[in-house]
């Protein structure tokens, strides 16, 4: 077990639901360790309920995406499956608009960073691998897009979480168009995510008897 817990999700300052997630790490094999992450999101958007289930598998110390699955229920039910085939990720999408297939070339450091999925930022953080900054690529399956980004470690800073001041590491994921994701971490644990352009925020939930640096409460 690497991490797990719950994020409260906000859009335009309004609570829209929660994300329950777990990240596991299998023992290293010939190709390196395998991380498997799963999450379920329960959302209420514009008066409509939506449930999203996602699963991600990455390979090796570079966290190379190997398989991604998403099932989005609601008025626009969509299923997404992404599979690494040699140096490409094949994305198969089934939605009310029909079936689609797209392929993306995977070279260098790459991560899946789905929209409004907080725990995916863990894998982008792992790409830095001790560097202060790094160029990488993120795949956004729901947008059927692949985007170059600049990941930067801004160091530690005080942050208010749940009425408490914590000293957390701040990283930014700068998209080429100038849009940025801000991520605050305690060690490897994502505590808060802020995407100003999308007016999206995710904040880690802690129980009354649990400190923000306590890994208990893993589902």
């Amino acid at each position: 077990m690497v991490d797990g817990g719950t994020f409260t999700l906000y859009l335009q300052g309004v609570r829209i639901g929660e994300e329950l997630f777990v990240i596991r790490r299998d023992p290293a094999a010939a190709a390196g360790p395998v991380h498997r992450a799963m999450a379920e999101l329960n959302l209420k958007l514009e008066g409509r309920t939506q449930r999203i289930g996602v699963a991600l598998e990455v390979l090796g110390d570079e966290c190379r995406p190997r398989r991604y699955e998403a099932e989005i229920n609601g008025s626009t039910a969509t299923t997404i499956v992404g599979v690494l085939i040699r140096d490409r990720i094949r994305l198969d999408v089934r939605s009310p608009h029909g079936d689609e297939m797209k392929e993306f070339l995977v070279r260098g450091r790459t991560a899946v960073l789905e929209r409004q999925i907080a725990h995916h930022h863990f894998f982008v953080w792992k790409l830095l691998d001790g560097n202060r900054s790094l160029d990488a690529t993120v795949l956004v399956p729901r947008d059927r897009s692949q985007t170059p980004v600049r990941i930067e470690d801004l160091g530690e800073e005080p942050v208010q979480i749940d009425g408490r001041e914590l000293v957390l590491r701040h990283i930014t994921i700068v998209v080429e168009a100038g849009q940025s994701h801000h991520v605050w971490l305690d060690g490897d644990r994502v505590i808060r995510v802020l995407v100003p352009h999308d007016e999206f925020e995710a904040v880690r939930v802690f129980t009354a008897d649990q400190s923000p640096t306590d890994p208990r409460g893993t589902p």
Side-chain angles (χ1 to χ4, degrees), residues 83-101:
V83 179
L84 179 67
I85 304 173
R86 293 183 293 276
D87 62 347
R88 296 177 183 273
I89 288 182
R90 171 177 167 148
L91 207 61
D92 291 290
V93 182
R94 177 169 293 180
S95 74
H97 303 292
D99 294 351
E100 300 177 57
M101 190 279 287

Side-chain angles (χ1 to χ4, degrees), residues 169-181:
R169 182 166 300 280
H170 183 190
I171 72 164
T172 57
I173 305 162
V174 183
V175 181
E176 198 171 44
Q179 305 169 14
S180 298
H181 294 224

Side-chain angles (χ1 to χ4, degrees), residues 50-54 68-81 91-100 114-115 141-144:
Q50 184 178 75
R51 188 185 67 82
I52 301 174
V54 294
Y68 176 72
E69 298 179 20
E71 185 174 344
I72 304 163
N73 296 328
S75 58
T76 57
T78 302
T79 301
I80 303 172
V81 177
L91 207 61
D92 291 290
V93 182
R94 177 169 293 180
S95 74
H97 303 292
D99 294 351
E100 300 177 57
E114 189 60 279
R115 287 189 291 115
R142 288 180 70 180
D143 291 346
R144 286 63 139 178

Side-chain angles (χ1 to χ4, degrees), residues 36 38 118 213:
R36 292 184 173 89
M38 299 179 65
T213 55

Side-chain angles (χ1 to χ4, degrees), residues 91-127:
L91 207 61
D92 291 290
V93 182
R94 177 169 293 180
S95 74
H97 303 292
D99 294 351
E100 300 177 57
M101 190 279 287
K102 292 193 73 172
E103 285 191 343
F104 298 92
L105 189 62
V106 179
R107 287 181 177 170
R109 296 185 181 267
T110 301
V112 171
L113 187 60
E114 189 60 279
R115 287 189 291 115
Q116 299 178 0
I117 304 289
H119 78 279
H120 281 177
H121 293 82
F122 166 85
F123 296 103
V124 182
W125 153 249
K126 296 296 283 185
L127 293 182

